[in-house]
Amino acid sequence: MTTWRILRRPCRAFGLLLLVILSVLVLRRLGWRSLISPWLRHRRVGLHTNGQNFMLEDSTFWIFGGSVHYFRVPKAYWWDRLLKMKACGLNTLTTYVPWNLHEPQRGKFDFSGNLDLEAFVLMAAEIGLWVILRPGPYICSEIDLGGLPSWLLQDSDMRLRTTYKGFTEAVDLYFDHLMSRVVPLQYKHGGPIIAVQVENEYGSYNKDPAYMPYIKKALEDRGIVELLLTSDNKDGLSKGVIHGVLATINLQSQHELQLLTTFLSSVQRVQPKMVMEYWTGWFDSWGGPHNILDSSEVLQTVSAIIDAGSSINLYMFHGGTNFGFINGAMHFHEYKSDVTSYDYDAVLTEAGDYTDKYNKLREFFGSISGGPLPPPPGLLPKTVYEPVRPTLYLSLWDALQYMEEPCPVCLFYIQPVNSEKPVNMENLPINNGNGQSFGYILYETTIDSSGVLSGLVRDRGQVFVNTVSVGFLDYKRRKISIPLIQGYTILRILVENCGRVNYGDNIDDQRKAPQQAMRLIAVRWVMEAHWREVESQKPIGGRRDMENHCSELGSWMPLTVRFDWKYLSE
């Protein structure tokens, strides 16, 4: 038996060699190119520019796009939404990629379930849609911190969206992982991705001239070979253009269209024009009205954009939902948190239903498509649920006694963190050192007098004396009276992260907690200490020494209440 095996091995090797030789002869006879899929054989150039036209290979190509964010739509509904996009006469899907959801902890990536980017892109290809990918790393998108992970803010010197070493090192590691998934999905590799956007609206931020060239190189070094684009609104277009990248514009009115296209022509000369974001509606803020844009105005503006020779992307085609606590916020003159719904008054409703905008746009795109459109799919069934009235509940105060025991939901031990000063949400020593991204924190300390509690809380703090609510603190309300209570008194502040700012130049200051300057002023003295700071960080107000018995809040004990989106979605 042993001898037979020794003799058999040379025969096997000879047979393999003969097979290779015959294969080479056959391939030469038939021609190598005949064995390459026609789908790949004709993919040489991809989407490119030729004068004022986009070209896909050798054919003039108009981009009729629509935005749908996979992370805002349940995976079970992706097919329905993309079919409706195709039936509306659009040919290209655009989507952002949220870094904060894909890398909730440093080095731990999640591309499963609703975050399965590859499945979403391939589904678009199956339906017959091209894809423009917008991978950031910053995406704005009315999502918490513009899609940047909150653990970046653990670095007190962090400068987001710059070439600051702490930021670029994190971006490099993220792009290493993300682009390994994206590269095979590119057009020249047989996938549907025909273009990739470099960052997002950086012209309106513009804090580091070296940053955008760095992002461009980071994409190219990792294998991105398709057409690169930038995207800017009227506030940043003049500063957002970079060499070797096609600039596109974001707008809502025909007046802006004329101004921005004129500027593009002066900068880019003869290049194709594209409105990367035509805002079909707008997002809503808590306490504000639901924003609505008339369907007739939408049709007129879309028609004007295309009549001007510009390609277009409808932002949003379908908005979806800010699940859990992923919503962002705006903070210019005042802080405004975005609502859970991302309906956006888009072409499809939050539930995926048709609107007047859909019907009018479908008729319009059908008239210029050169062929019949596929029929719109039927509406998905809806269910009306009976009201639910819980009969059993556990209050926060009752739950505190169990915090040394494992949580029955997530099986983690929830333990207090002791510190001399309030620790912000991002720097809590939890989640493998990554802090807390979303939700609530309970801060508590003992006090021995009544008084006026003053200070800034980001974003909202419900104030309790023992277990009795005495009011709240936020950006507008910065003082609250603390009543006199006999005996052992615990001052508690339940701080809520209502959403980190997603747009503007203050994204570096989004750490959530009671701020360090918080004071409890004893009421038995009339004089009250006032502290103000200027940009030099030097106090310009006087302090009445110790006469006013101004006592800093002492030993804080934050309890992390882990209402994280991940757990809500499971």
Side-chain angles (χ1 to χ4, degrees):
M1 192 69 172
T2 303
T3 303
W4 182 86
R5 284 182 178 175
I6 293 174
L7 293 175
R8 185 172 179 265
R9 286 173 183 167
C11 294
R12 179 184 298 175
F14 178 77
L16 290 173
L17 179 60
L18 183 60
L19 181 60
V20 169
I21 294 172
L22 290 173
S23 299
V24 170
L25 293 174
V26 170
L27 289 174
R28 289 185 65 183
R29 177 74 175 178
L30 295 176
W32 296 94
R33 290 180 58 83
S34 66
L35 300 180
I36 301 174
S37 169
W39 183 251
L40 290 175
R41 190 164 64 244
H42 299 294
R43 293 189 172 203
R44 301 183 305 275
V45 183
L47 184 67
H48 61 285
T49 66
N50 183 11
Q52 62 183 2
N53 296 322
F54 284 110
M55 306 290 291
L56 191 58
E57 295 301 335
D58 299 326
S59 301
T60 301
F61 183 75
W62 286 78
I63 299 171
F64 298 147
S67 290
V68 179
H69 301 152
Y70 56 98
F71 51 93
R72 284 187 164 120
V73 182
K75 189 175 184 179
Y77 297 147
W78 288 355
W79 185 265
D80 172 77
R81 307 309 193 253
L82 297 183
L83 275 180
K84 290 172 178 174
M85 177 181 288
K86 182 71 173 179
C88 192
L90 304 183
N91 58 21
T92 303
L93 164 71
T94 69
T95 187
Y96 281 127
V97 181
W99 181 7
N100 58 342
L101 303 185
H102 285 304
E103 192 180 1
Q105 297 183 23
R106 285 183 183 269
K108 294 189 176 181
F109 299 96
D110 185 1
F111 285 82
S112 62
N114 277 19
L115 298 176
D116 193 343
L117 170 64
E118 292 147 294
F120 187 64
V121 171
L122 291 173
M123 186 180 292
E126 186 176 354
I127 287 173
L129 295 167
W130 300 110
V131 176
I132 295 177
L133 197 68
R134 312 174 79 187
Y138 164 85
I139 62 173
C140 185
S141 187
E142 290 72 62
I143 192 173
D144 188 271
L145 203 60
L148 301 175
S150 62
W151 45 257
L152 289 168
L153 297 175
Q154 291 181 327
D155 181 352
S156 60
D157 297 322
M158 176 58 66
R159 297 192 299 276
L160 301 172
R161 305 181 72 190
T162 69
T163 52
Y164 174 70
K165 184 178 179 181
F167 184 69
T168 57
E169 287 179 344
V171 171
D172 287 340
L173 291 174
Y174 170 58
F175 272 11
D176 285 345
H177 185 95
L178 175 63
M179 297 309 153
S180 69
R181 296 173 178 270
V182 170
V183 165
L185 301 174
Q186 294 180 103
Y187 175 89
K188 293 171 187 174
H189 293 279
I193 297 176
I194 56 174
V196 175
Q197 184 175 299
V198 182
E199 234 262 355
N200 190 67
E201 295 183 328
Y202 192 74
S204 60
Y205 194 71
N206 193 39
K207 290 192 175 183
D208 184 349
Y211 175 68
M212 285 293 277
Y214 153 72
I215 295 295
K216 175 178 180 286
K217 187 175 186 300
L219 293 170
E220 293 173 334
D221 287 350
R222 288 164 177 81
I224 297 301
V225 295
E226 305 301 340
L227 181 68
L228 296 180
L229 310 167
T230 59
S231 171
D232 283 285
N233 58 28
K234 61 181 176 60
D235 297 326
L237 182 58
S238 62
K239 300 176 182 177
V241 178
I242 60 174
H243 179 70
V245 179
L246 183 70
T248 67
I249 55 181
N250 304 336
L251 54 82
Q252 190 171 70
S253 72
Q254 294 186 48
H255 173 67
E256 292 175 313
L257 173 65
Q258 182 177 358
L259 291 175
L260 297 182
T261 52
T262 299
F263 176 81
L264 278 183
S265 298
S266 67
V267 173
Q268 297 191 143
R269 303 301 177 187
V270 182
Q271 290 278 14
K273 297 187 291 291
M274 179 173 181
V275 177
M276 178 58 74
E277 291 185 12
Y278 166 64
W279 302 315
T280 60
W282 201 246
F283 58 89
D284 298 335
S285 301
W286 286 109
H290 175 50
N291 289 300
I292 295 175
L293 185 62
D294 182 74
S295 60
S296 296
E297 181 180 346
V298 170
L299 178 61
Q300 290 173 5
T301 306
V302 170
S303 177
I305 290 171
I306 293 174
D307 287 345
S310 175
S311 287
I312 188 172
N313 175 59
L314 305 176
Y315 188 100
M316 299 290 295
F317 179 78
H318 171 57
T321 306
N322 291 319
F323 295 111
F325 296 96
I326 69 171
N327 65 278
M330 303 291 278
H331 195 173
F332 293 106
H333 301 297
E334 61 178 317
Y335 175 87
K336 294 182 178 181
S337 179
D338 300 333
V339 302
T340 303
S341 170
Y342 200 65
D343 177 83
Y344 208 86
D345 194 37
V347 181
L348 294 179
T349 69
E350 183 176 11
D353 293 339
Y354 299 113
T355 64
D356 285 342
K357 291 178 185 178
Y358 184 95
N359 296 329
K360 291 178 180 179
L361 289 173
R362 183 174 188 272
E363 182 178 357
F364 172 76
F365 284 114
S367 69
I368 61 175
S369 66
L373 299 180
L379 295 178
L380 295 177
K382 308 293 192 299
T383 300
V384 177
Y385 295 96
E386 296 295 326
V388 176
R389 185 183 298 274
T391 56
L392 299 174
Y393 68 93
L394 186 67
S395 74
L396 172 61
W397 317 120
D398 293 331
L400 293 181
Q401 61 184 302
Y402 300 109
M403 67 183 189
E404 300 291 343
E405 301 178 8
C407 169
V409 178
C410 58
L411 302 181
F412 285 108
Y413 284 87
I414 304 175
Q415 296 180 331
V417 177
N418 295 299
S419 65
E420 292 184 1
K421 296 181 179 180
V423 178
N424 59 52
M425 177 178 285
E426 296 77 12
N427 280 290
L428 286 174
I430 60 174
N431 294 332
N432 299 316
N434 291 275
Q436 180 174 317
S437 297
F438 311 113
Y440 298 80
I441 307 175
L442 179 67
Y443 295 86
E444 60 181 32
T445 188
T446 57
I447 58 175
D448 57 9
S449 67
S450 60
V452 176
L453 181 66
S454 64
L456 171 64
V457 173
R458 293 197 179 106
D459 296 306
R460 178 183 170 91
Q462 299 179 58
V463 182
F464 300 86
V465 175
N466 293 331
T467 60
V468 178
S469 174
V470 296
F472 66 90
L473 296 169
D474 59 15
Y475 292 97
K476 293 182 178 179
R477 182 183 177 93
R478 300 195 182 191
K479 290 184 179 181
I480 189 170
S481 296
I482 304 299
L484 178 63
I485 297 179
Q486 297 293 331
Y488 184 75
T489 303
I490 301 178
L491 176 64
R492 292 178 164 122
I493 306 177
L494 182 62
V495 175
E496 177 186 0
N497 169 13
C498 298
R500 296 182 182 86
V501 166
N502 57 265
Y503 181 84
D505 59 5
N506 57 348
I507 58 173
D508 289 339
D509 303 321
Q510 295 304 304
R511 298 170 183 87
K512 305 302 183 180
Q515 302 307 294
Q516 302 290 354
M518 184 161 284
R519 301 284 190 271
L520 178 63
I521 314 294
V523 297
R524 59 180 178 271
W525 296 92
V526 176
M527 293 178 293
E528 181 178 324
H530 292 279
W531 279 79
R532 291 171 22 191
E533 294 186 355
V534 293
E535 291 182 359
S536 63
Q537 299 298 309
K538 294 180 180 179
I540 60 172
R543 179 173 178 176
R544 305 288 184 173
D545 298 325
M546 296 301 295
E547 291 183 337
N548 53 20
H549 291 250
C550 172
S551 59
E552 293 191 17
L553 296 177
S555 178
W556 288 83
M557 187 167 63
L559 165 68
T560 304
V561 184
R562 300 197 55 196
F563 296 138
D564 197 294
W565 172 71
K566 180 177 181 180
Y567 301 108
L568 289 176
S569 66
E570 289 182 344

